[in-house]
Amino acid sequence: MIKNLILNIRACLGRAQVRFIGLKRDLYWIPFDVLLPLLGVSTFIFIYKSLKMPPITYTFVILGGSMISYWLNILWSMASQLYWERMTGNLPLFFIAPCSINSILIGMAVGGIYATSVRALSIILLGIIFFKIPIYWQGLPQAILAFLLTLISLYGLGMMLSSIFLLSGREAWHLSNLLQEPIYLFSGFFFPIKTLGFWVASLASLIPASLGLDSLRQSLIPESKPFAFLSFEIEITILCILSIIYIYMSFILVKKIEKIARREGRLITRWQ
Amino acid sequence: MAIIKRLYYSFVLGWKIWSEWAQWWIFFGYLLIRPIFGVAIFYMVIYFAQGNKAMNLFFWILAGNALFQILSGTSTGMVWTIFDDRNFYETLIPIYISPGSFLEKIIGRSLGVGVTGIFTSFFILFLAFLLGANYSIKPSFFYYVLLFLLTGIGFGLILASFSLFMGEGAGYLIEGTISALQLISGVSFTPQLLPTFLQKIAFINPFLYLIEGGRRSLGLSSFFIKEISSERLVYYSLLTSLLTITIGIATFLISEKIARRNGALTRKTNY
């Protein structure tokens, strides 16, 4: 039991290490990693500026922009990763290794979170420096709690998606693309989800980023309370439930999909 | 004749790879989703800020984004062509050594991607019409579409030249240049909102005038640079396109030589 646990922890760290090293290996890209994401989201800040909106809307955008980094990481480095691994020939190795595939997925998530956090934190820091976004630092402990729960449920969702993407063929690329703008809209990355109306916002709450972002905004921008969809406590409770459901579902799904993939020979099929 | 044939086959290959061999109607279905939601995001941002009072600004933003889509789609497609062919499909060398110049094949491939950019652009404009935009499309609009495509190829060749020497960094190259260009080209807001030093860059940026000309060809009034007539913008835009494509071809040919010498054509990265 303990031996098995140690093996899985080692597998998890081993898979995460590739991403830690990946970040260190490309040190000369870090300035780009830090500066570029801000360029993309600043368009929305300037739109709010042209509409003479108060600076708290800039904070909305900056927090949304940092959350986008995680969503993109989930889509391109979690959900479609098993598909890429199959294409590069690593996937069968993952499945014949004595550890659980879940520990490899968790390792991927841990490595992904580490690499993406550089980008996400830099968006916030640069937002503070360049756009002087107002942030209520006293709300930081609440924000950290909301943030951690959001990441757990988001990466749980990512692990679920990676199993689904494993079955898809070449169209995995399209699926990832399709999950960008719709999620940006329903998660309210650039505006509060309350604007979508109660029913749409309720459905959108199934995406952890929606409630996570809403609760982050509530804790870091007290003036945003009138734009909040639900109270902070309710959002945290829902995020806890979503975390459990998504992680549990991902464990179940990966087993089922592995069976199908083994039976249909999809673990080794390339270029389809 | 052989050149046209090669361009055609590269175009078909570009289209096939970009669509991941999906049926054309399924792929067009995919192509509809992103612009619909992209337009919805802009709408919600404007709606959150001003309700339905700022619809003129909304349609102005949509026009800029629709036109920019052709340029960004074509140029980013060219960088991904090199990145994917080398890192993922491992076909860069077979394509490189097949008959015909590498430049022709890359241009053909990017045209295959550019078609999707034009489709998305027209679809965004169609959505704007559905939402009540009163664009009056002038004949010069089609001239601008062609210029955007040519400029996209030229700009894409410049980016592709750098991507020959890059691994994963190609992603940063695309994201960085396109986001920066979008910011200083008056695509979604007037450059006067930018900090002073960026305003200076924006006003010497030729793409700003290309976007402005394109917007005027849709009958939109100018929010800035009113002092330049539409006729003059037509010449400025043509000059911009010709210059971009000339610089693009020259840069690409030089980079190709260096990449061949350095062995960069076979460099692979993945983690």
Side-chain angles (χ1 to χ4, degrees), chain A residues 26 51 171 174 177 181 271, chain B residues 19 30 34 50 88 271:
Chain A
D26 280 347
L51 292 164
E171 295 190 12
H174 296 314
N177 261 326
E181 275 78 0
W271 314 119
Chain B
S19 64
Y30 287 137
R34 290 191 76 176
Q50 301 275 324
F88 187 52
Y271 45 87

Side-chain angles (χ1 to χ4, degrees), chain A residues 16-78:
Chain A
Q17 195 191 13
V18 183
R19 292 191 170 176
F20 297 158
I21 290 173
L23 190 72
K24 270 199 273 177
R25 194 174 67 172
D26 280 347
L27 274 181
Y28 57 101
W29 286 119
I30 286 185
F32 295 91
D33 220 5
V34 169
L35 275 170
L36 296 185
L38 190 71
L39 291 179
V41 294
S42 53
T43 292
F44 288 93
I45 294 182
F46 284 112
I47 291 177
Y48 278 132
K49 221 173 185 179
S50 68
L51 292 164
K52 301 190 170 44
M53 291 297 284
I56 60 158
T57 54
Y58 309 165
T59 319
F60 282 0
V61 175
I62 291 291
L63 289 178
S66 63
M67 196 54 84
I68 282 179
S69 313
Y70 289 104
W71 181 247
L72 288 180
N73 181 257
I74 283 163
L75 275 187
W76 296 102
S77 302
M78 281 295 297

Side-chain angles (χ1 to χ4, degrees), chain A residues 161-221:
Chain A
L161 287 175
S162 67
S163 311
I164 297 166
F165 274 50
L166 181 61
L167 282 188
S168 64
R170 285 179 180 276
E171 295 190 12
W173 185 82
H174 296 314
L175 289 176
S176 283
N177 261 326
L178 278 188
L179 288 173
Q180 277 185 211
E181 275 78 0
I183 301 295
Y184 291 0
L185 176 76
F186 293 121
S187 297
F189 284 142
F190 305 113
F191 57 88
I193 51 161
K194 198 182 180 184
T195 323
L196 292 168
F198 179 78
W199 293 109
V200 180
S202 300
L203 274 177
S205 303
L206 289 174
I207 310 160
S210 312
L211 291 183
L213 202 51
D214 206 55
S215 48
L216 268 179
R217 283 170 180 156
Q218 284 189 61
S219 43
L220 292 175
I221 327 164

